[in-house]
Amino acid sequence: MDVNKLKKQLQVEVDTAFLYDSIASIQSDVNLTRVLQSLAEIEKGHAKHMFEKVVTIEPNYSMPVTSYKAKFQLKVGKLFGYSSIISSLANIEKQFAVNTIKNKIEHGEKLTGFEHNHLQIIEAVNNNEALNVSGGLLSKFESRHKSVGGNALRAAVLGSNDGLVSNMSLVMGVAGAAVSNNTILLTGIAGLLAGAISMALGEWLSVQSSRELNQRQIELETEELEASPEEEKKELVLLYQAKGMNAVDAQKLADKAFESPETAIDAIIAEELGIDKEELGGSAWEAAIASFVLFSIGAVIPLYPFIFLDGNNAILLSIGSSVVGLFGIGAAITLLTGKSVVFSGFRQVAFGLAAAAVTYGIGTLIGVSLAG
């Protein structure tokens, strides 16, 4: 056994348990708290099992504490919403399931069909009666974390990345043509404003279109409920059964949901559409403003050196600042993907520098051509 891989896996289990516990502690819904705490206990059991494997190789090894990365994820979640954490946990559970299935196949073990259960719970596609969680609650849990905060975080990360990369490429291209600092600044500011406005408008249209689509779907479901309530009720029963409930419990839950038209449509919206009708996909203005501000911040990074310096000094400071910014953005992306901070950071730097090198080279060729 590779002890380093075991240690890395142990740290993941410790961090995952911490995040489940932390999110559970701030929930107001008792059932939602119970399912998260139960998942945390399962992860703690995994961590204990993994720790026992490690100490057989290194007897003096101590159980690791929660990593700074996990604590930082929780702080970011408090600011922007918990969709980033839920996404990261879903990726972790998916990888766990893939590895479990792979190991069982390699060792000739029979698959149980339960390897994806944790992922199914996180994605609100499975109901676990032992945890006393209804399908509606799981859908509520999932949709809650896909709301406004998730849009803001996504727009923030992608907006700052686009601003930095696009303006760095633009600035390097103009700098390669050996033009004056004033020309570089004017071009960079124009690129900043044009890009920020374009990004904000794109985010607004994207989120607003999603909201309008969700609203239309709710209207259609409401019409169908009014026209054929029994058919809609049968569909809800089948949906509950498809998520793992037995026929009796599925029927009871559907009967309870259909006690009034209001609770019936709420259940249908949550279960069939996966929509939180209070949010409808998040705030278009919040996503647009976040995108505009973060794009502008990203675009300023490669531009500001030309305010104070000129020539090669400005170019070198611009590249150095951009490298730091790119690495930071790459690290921030791991909050959404769950990947390695170092890998994502350096990958982002490589892509950004490659784009800047291409535009600088093209700018140099154009500058020489015009000068000749």
Side-chain angles (χ1 to χ4, degrees):
M1 291 184 291
D2 187 333
V3 68
N4 290 324
K5 286 185 178 180
L6 287 175
K7 289 179 180 179
K8 182 178 180 182
Q9 185 64 40
L10 174 58
Q11 185 65 63
V12 171
E13 299 285 5
V14 170
D15 289 347
T16 302
F18 164 77
L19 290 172
Y20 278 135
D21 262 338
S22 299
I23 299 175
S25 67
I26 60 174
Q27 302 303 322
S28 57
D29 191 297
V30 175
N31 287 331
L32 185 53
T33 300
R34 184 178 296 121
V35 69
L36 290 168
Q37 288 176 338
S38 297
L39 288 171
E41 289 304 316
I42 291 172
E43 298 303 335
K44 289 174 185 177
H46 290 168
K48 182 180 178 182
H49 178 68
M50 199 68 59
F51 177 69
E52 290 171 352
K53 286 185 176 182
V54 174
V55 294
T56 59
I57 303 172
E58 294 185 11
N60 295 325
Y61 189 75
S62 301
M63 177 69 82
V65 297
T66 304
S67 70
Y68 288 110
K69 177 183 176 182
K71 293 178 180 179
F72 181 67
Q73 278 184 287
L74 186 64
K75 289 182 179 179
V76 172
K78 290 178 180 178
L79 292 174
F80 293 103
Y82 293 93
S83 60
S84 60
I85 299 176
I86 299 305
S87 175
S88 178
L89 291 174
N91 286 331
I92 291 171
E93 298 293 1
K94 182 177 181 180
Q95 192 59 52
F96 283 169
V98 170
N99 290 339
T100 299
I101 292 172
K102 181 180 177 182
N103 290 334
K104 285 186 176 182
I105 292 174
E106 289 178 352
H107 292 87
E109 298 178 24
K110 184 179 179 181
L111 298 179
T112 64
F114 296 105
E115 288 80 11
H116 286 90
N117 268 12
H118 282 195
L119 177 61
Q120 289 173 329
I121 291 173
I122 288 297
E123 294 181 338
V125 296
N126 185 34
N127 293 280
N128 191 327
E129 189 177 0
L131 295 174
N132 192 28
V133 179
S134 70
L137 183 58
L138 282 176
S139 293
K140 177 182 176 183
F141 167 67
E142 181 65 10
S143 62
R144 176 184 302 173
H145 296 291
K146 286 181 178 177
S147 62
V148 181
N151 282 322
L153 179 60
R154 177 177 58 84
V157 173
L158 298 182
S160 58
N161 176 70
D162 288 348
L164 199 162
V165 174
S166 63
N167 224 31
M168 179 175 66
S169 299
L170 179 62
V171 167
M172 289 300 112
V174 179
V179 298
S180 67
N181 263 31
N182 288 339
T183 302
I184 295 174
L185 281 172
L186 180 61
T187 304
I189 292 171
L192 183 156
L193 292 174
I197 293 170
S198 176
M199 283 289 295
L201 179 59
E203 279 294 329
W204 188 91
L205 288 173
S206 175
V207 177
Q208 186 64 24
S209 297
S210 176
R211 288 177 60 85
E212 291 170 357
L213 175 61
N214 289 340
Q215 183 62 53
R216 179 55 181 160
Q217 287 180 309
I218 291 173
E219 291 172 358
L220 290 174
E221 288 294 340
T222 303
E223 291 172 6
E224 290 178 5
L225 178 62
E226 293 173 352
S228 52
E230 288 304 316
E231 290 299 320
E232 287 296 311
K233 187 175 182 179
K234 289 178 182 178
E235 288 183 9
L236 190 59
V237 172
L238 291 175
L239 185 59
Y240 285 142
Q241 287 180 264
K243 291 184 175 183
M245 297 184 72
N246 60 53
V248 175
D249 288 340
Q251 186 65 54
K252 287 181 179 178
L253 191 57
D255 288 339
K256 184 174 180 59
F258 271 70
E259 287 179 352
S260 71
E262 291 77 16
T263 56
I265 192 59
D266 286 346
I268 291 170
I269 291 170
E271 300 299 342
E272 293 191 15
L273 304 180
I275 298 172
D276 181 347
K277 70 176 185 178
E278 299 298 326
E279 296 291 350
L280 294 178
S283 167
W285 284 109
E286 182 176 354
I289 292 171
S291 183
F292 181 92
V293 172
L294 271 297
F295 184 98
S296 300
I297 292 173
V300 164
I301 292 174
L303 184 61
Y304 83 88
F306 294 92
I307 298 175
F308 310 103
L309 303 172
D310 56 23
N312 290 333
N313 291 332
I315 292 174
L316 290 174
L317 181 57
S318 177
I319 293 173
S321 301
S322 298
V323 166
V324 174
L326 286 167
F327 188 88
I329 291 170
I333 289 174
T334 64
L335 298 175
L336 301 173
T337 64
K339 297 293 184 180
S340 164
V341 171
V342 174
F343 172 78
S344 295
F346 280 113
R347 180 180 61 181
Q348 204 70 15
V349 170
F351 288 157
L353 290 181
V358 170
T359 55
Y360 185 84
I362 293 173
T364 301
L365 292 175
I366 293 174
V368 170
S369 176
L370 292 176

